[in-house]
Amino acid sequence: MSAYVLRRLAQAVPTLLGVLLITFLLFNVVGGSPAALTLGERASAAALEEFDEVRGFNKPLIAGRWGPTRIAGDGRPRFVEPPPDAAGVPPGAPVRLPPGRWRFALAFPPRTDAVYRLDIEWRPDGAARAAVGAGGVFQPLEAADASASKDWKTAAALFGGTAGAAPEIAVFEGAIEVRAARARRRARHPFDSQFLDYLGRVARLDLGVSSRENRRVAELLREGIGPSLALTVPIFFAGLATALALALVCAYRRGSRLDRSIVALSVGLMSVNYLVWIAVGQYVLAYRWGWFPAWGFESARHLVLPALIGIASGLGADVRFYRTLALDEAGRDYVRAAMARGAGAGRALFRHVLPNLMIPVLTNVAIALPFLYTGSLLLESFFGIPGLGHLGVNAIHSADVDVIRAVVLIGALLYLAANLLTDLAYTALDPRVRLR
């Protein structure tokens, strides 16, 4: 068994790395800038840069020598003294610079411990000579002679190490057009990237800091696990016991009026939307009749109504599933042989059908185990239960990347652990199963 467990754990490593990579790309590439989502589009470049600095978002994504920075602003050309026709230029349109010497403005002073690179897209408007320099004293780093041309060129300048130093571009004997000015920041080494930094923090069990609460994510998870388990554990065990009991009753009284009534009730329960259960329960049972509190987490009484709703919403599907399994098992040859030897229907049902029914039941239970940890998103949100489901909903609304990634990561770990424990439990339930 130990060899099998070690082999399964080794197989889980690539799966976990895949989950980490997918969640990383979803939140760092597809989802847009976490800083802009958290602070808003109107936040200053300095505030966005500080957010990225704290969370490592200004490093290369996977690997590389240069990472993103907001020191050049939004990518449009910025000048200490704007040229005459710079006002009113639409985004993405080039800015025409008359002959002269123009200094680009930075969104904030560069860090003294960082090196930046400014790439300027330009083209001559007639005969022109352009050079890019860095610092208060102009020192050409790149120069080019060109006649009138429609081709855009790129001039680059390295700067940094001195607070307040500003790159500048000078134009002599003509005019140029500038389309964009983009900056990058040099990483410490090619593998100083966001993804590897994220893997390192996960390996150290550092789940990050919540941008919404400004607290450690691990601390928020510890606070939310108690309320979530207080709600989901009763729903899980009470729902499982009720569904199995009703399924066995249906198998015992197959074809009877009771069986048909339970099936009809199950179909009805499956047809009602989850939100309808919540709305009717809160309005009728809590507000109109006053049987239960409608909001809060002050005592066990506050959990009764959401637990009943959670059990009722999933009971129909579970009863039909377990009833199908029980009827299929009850029709097998070994059950008919036991009844031919004199075993009653009840004895055959509980002595033979139920133990063999537990293997598919265990498989279905394993899928639901991570639900115990992650909580119920809707129930916790509508009933004001401060669990992990409520935490996850708030994190999605506020684009709290670290919290969302932590919940997804722990959910993936629980699924892997549940699958392994299920395979081990198969050997205890069925002697024919061998771990290989």
Side-chain angles (χ1 to χ4, degrees):
M1 179 181 294
S2 58
Y4 175 82
V5 172
L6 291 177
R7 186 166 61 252
R8 288 292 302 273
L9 292 177
Q11 293 173 354
V13 172
T15 303
L16 184 59
L17 290 177
V19 171
L20 291 173
L21 179 60
I22 292 174
T23 55
F24 173 80
L25 293 177
L26 285 177
F27 292 115
N28 291 65
V29 178
V30 180
S33 169
L37 292 174
T38 303
L39 303 180
E41 296 292 341
R42 296 189 177 183
S44 65
L48 296 173
E49 181 80 1
E50 182 179 359
F51 185 95
D52 291 342
E53 176 71 24
V54 171
R55 291 161 177 81
F57 293 142
N58 55 0
K59 298 180 179 181
L61 193 63
I62 302 296
R65 194 57 180 165
W66 296 93
T69 181
R70 304 177 189 272
I71 198 169
D74 58 1
R76 301 181 62 187
R78 301 162 53 95
F79 306 94
V80 175
E81 298 177 359
D85 63 345
V89 176
V95 177
R96 185 178 183 277
L97 302 180
R101 182 172 179 173
W102 302 95
R103 290 193 303 122
F104 279 81
L106 299 178
F108 49 85
R111 294 173 59 95
T112 58
D113 58 347
V115 176
Y116 302 86
R117 171 173 172 161
L118 181 66
D119 293 318
I120 303 170
E121 293 187 34
W122 69 283
R123 66 183 177 186
D125 186 12
R129 176 182 175 84
V132 179
V137 180
F138 177 71
Q139 297 179 349
L141 298 179
E142 180 179 340
D145 289 304
S147 59
S149 173
K150 297 299 182 181
D151 297 331
W152 291 97
K153 307 177 184 297
T154 300
L158 295 176
F159 64 97
T162 304
E168 61 183 21
I169 182 170
V171 182
F172 306 95
E173 300 176 359
I176 69 169
E177 288 181 301
V178 179
R179 182 169 62 178
R182 299 181 180 88
R184 291 179 291 171
R185 177 176 166 178
R186 178 181 290 173
R188 292 179 299 174
H189 51 80
F191 298 103
D192 183 24
S193 65
Q194 297 182 40
F195 182 61
L196 294 180
D197 178 68
Y198 175 52
L199 289 182
R201 288 193 287 111
V202 170
R204 298 191 302 269
L205 302 181
D206 180 7
L207 300 178
V209 178
S210 168
S211 58
R212 180 175 179 269
E213 302 286 343
N214 197 24
R215 298 169 58 191
R216 306 297 301 180
V217 175
E219 181 181 351
L220 296 176
L221 296 180
R222 284 194 299 268
E223 292 179 358
I225 183 62
S228 289
L229 292 179
L231 174 63
T232 57
V233 169
I235 293 177
F236 176 77
F237 286 104
L240 177 62
T242 305
L244 278 176
L246 293 177
L248 292 176
V249 169
C250 290
Y252 182 72
R253 300 290 300 274
R254 180 178 182 178
S256 65
R257 182 177 300 178
L258 179 60
D259 178 29
R260 292 193 296 269
S261 300
I262 293 177
V263 172
L265 178 62
S266 300
V267 174
L269 294 176
M270 294 172 58
S271 303
V272 180
N273 187 273
Y274 202 78
L275 292 175
V276 174
W277 286 109
I278 295 176
V280 172
Q282 282 190 321
Y283 179 74
V284 177
L285 300 181
Y287 176 70
R288 293 296 298 271
W289 295 352
W291 290 358
F292 308 100
W295 181 267
F297 184 69
E298 299 174 4
S299 64
R301 189 166 177 263
H302 289 78
L303 296 174
V304 176
L305 180 58
L308 291 176
I309 292 175
I311 294 171
S313 61
L315 188 61
D318 289 342
V319 168
R320 294 206 61 189
F321 177 67
Y322 296 145
R323 175 183 178 273
T324 302
L325 296 177
L327 291 177
D328 181 68
E329 199 68 30
R332 295 185 180 275
D333 293 339
Y334 74 92
V335 177
R336 291 199 297 266
M339 297 182 67
R341 291 194 299 267
R347 179 180 176 85
L349 190 66
F350 288 97
R351 183 72 179 271
H352 300 285
V353 174
L354 184 59
N356 289 283
L357 183 66
M358 293 309 297
I359 291 182
V361 169
L362 184 62
T363 304
N364 192 48
V365 166
I367 299 175
L369 282 179
F371 158 78
L372 300 180
Y373 175 84
T374 56
S376 176
L377 302 180
L378 293 177
L379 286 177
E380 293 182 9
S381 298
F382 277 91
F383 286 93
I385 300 173
L388 296 182
H390 187 261
L391 177 66
V393 170
N394 290 335
I396 294 173
H397 289 166
S398 59
D400 199 341
V401 175
D402 286 346
V403 173
I404 301 174
R405 288 197 303 199
V407 172
V408 172
L409 173 61
I410 295 177
L413 287 173
L414 290 176
Y415 270 112
L416 294 174
N419 288 330
L420 177 58
L421 293 176
T422 302
D423 291 344
L424 297 178
Y426 283 160
T427 60
L429 293 175
D430 191 345
R432 297 170 298 178
V433 177
R434 294 289 184 268
L435 299 177
R436 297 180 179 177

